[in-house]
Amino acid sequence: MGYITIIDDEEVLVKVDNTGTGQTVVTVGDREVTADVFWTRSDLVSLIIDGRSYQVDIHSEKDSHSVLIDGESFEFDLFDERQALLKISAALGTEGIQEIKASMPGRIVKLLVAEGDEVRDGDGLVVVEAMKMENEIKSPKVGVVKKIGVKEGANVEAGELLVVVE
């Protein structure tokens, strides 16, 4: 699986592959590491790399992560490739009125805002179920919800207006 990480404002490609033999190959940029990975808690992982054991504390809030390993702390943002593409496309042309449309057919599971609500960049607007997955559609900008074009439980087609943020 591919990811994009942002460390000190630099984007780096990260690839994670399970070998099928219990090991995980992690490629960060042009550096590749093979590790045995054991999750002991949801925020604590044990790694064995080249026969050496590491305990890694991971604290995450949305896409931002803080990692403590061997007494050193690292902070970074991490997005899967799909999220990275959505973030890039959302960043393009976020001035003025934004019409957020369904990217694929689905069902509206939940409206997270109402008309007149103030939203920040990245706030959830609506949850759409498509292909048996729930996707939270987020605001591409700071603004006010001017129009909601759907109702909870409704089916939507690709390109159908979901929310207008101005």
Side-chain angles (χ1 to χ4, degrees), residues 46-55 70:
S46 176
L47 302 176
I48 299 175
I49 301 172
D50 294 331
R52 185 169 175 211
S53 178
Y54 301 89
Q55 186 170 336
D70 262 1

Side-chain angles (χ1 to χ4, degrees), residues 6-54:
I6 300 173
I7 304 171
D8 296 330
D9 295 326
E10 182 179 340
E11 288 187 16
V12 178
L13 180 63
V14 176
K15 190 172 179 190
V16 178
D17 292 309
N18 292 318
T19 63
T21 62
Q23 292 188 311
T24 301
V25 177
V26 179
T27 306
V28 180
D30 57 357
R31 184 170 179 222
E32 183 178 292
V33 175
T34 301
D36 292 315
V37 180
F38 305 98
W39 286 90
T40 55
R41 293 192 327 231
S42 62
D43 61 348
L44 187 63
V45 65
S46 176
L47 302 176
I48 299 175
I49 301 172
D50 294 331
R52 185 169 175 211
S53 178
Y54 301 89

Side-chain angles (χ1 to χ4, degrees), residues 5 7 47 64 66 76 87 92 102 126 130-131 153 156 163:
T5 185
I7 304 171
L47 302 176
S64 296
S66 176
F76 58 92
K87 192 169 182 72
L92 298 173
V126 61
M131 299 173 65
V156 293
V163 178

Side-chain angles (χ1 to χ4, degrees), residues 42-113:
S42 62
D43 61 348
L44 187 63
V45 65
S46 176
L47 302 176
I48 299 175
I49 301 172
D50 294 331
R52 185 169 175 211
S53 178
Y54 301 89
Q55 186 170 336
V56 182
D57 287 309
I58 302 171
H59 299 280
S60 302
E61 186 172 324
K62 291 189 176 183
D63 300 320
S64 296
H65 307 275
S66 176
V67 174
L68 179 64
I69 182 169
D70 262 1
E72 289 192 54
S73 179
F74 305 93
E75 294 185 7
F76 58 92
D77 293 331
L78 183 69
F79 310 94
D80 66 32
E81 290 174 318
R82 182 175 156 265
Q83 287 175 310
L85 289 172
L86 290 172
K87 192 169 182 72
I88 290 168
S89 65
L92 298 173
T94 57
E95 297 296 321
I97 297 172
Q98 296 293 306
E99 292 186 345
I100 295 95
K101 297 179 179 180
S103 61
M104 63 180 66
R107 184 178 65 86
I108 304 302
V109 175
K110 187 172 188 176
L111 294 173
L112 303 174
V113 293

Side-chain angles (χ1 to χ4, degrees), residues 137-154:
I137 309 302
K138 298 182 180 190
S139 177
K141 63 180 276 182
V142 173
V144 175
V145 175
K146 289 296 183 182
K147 181 179 179 181
I148 296 178
V150 292
K151 294 183 179 179
E152 286 186 4

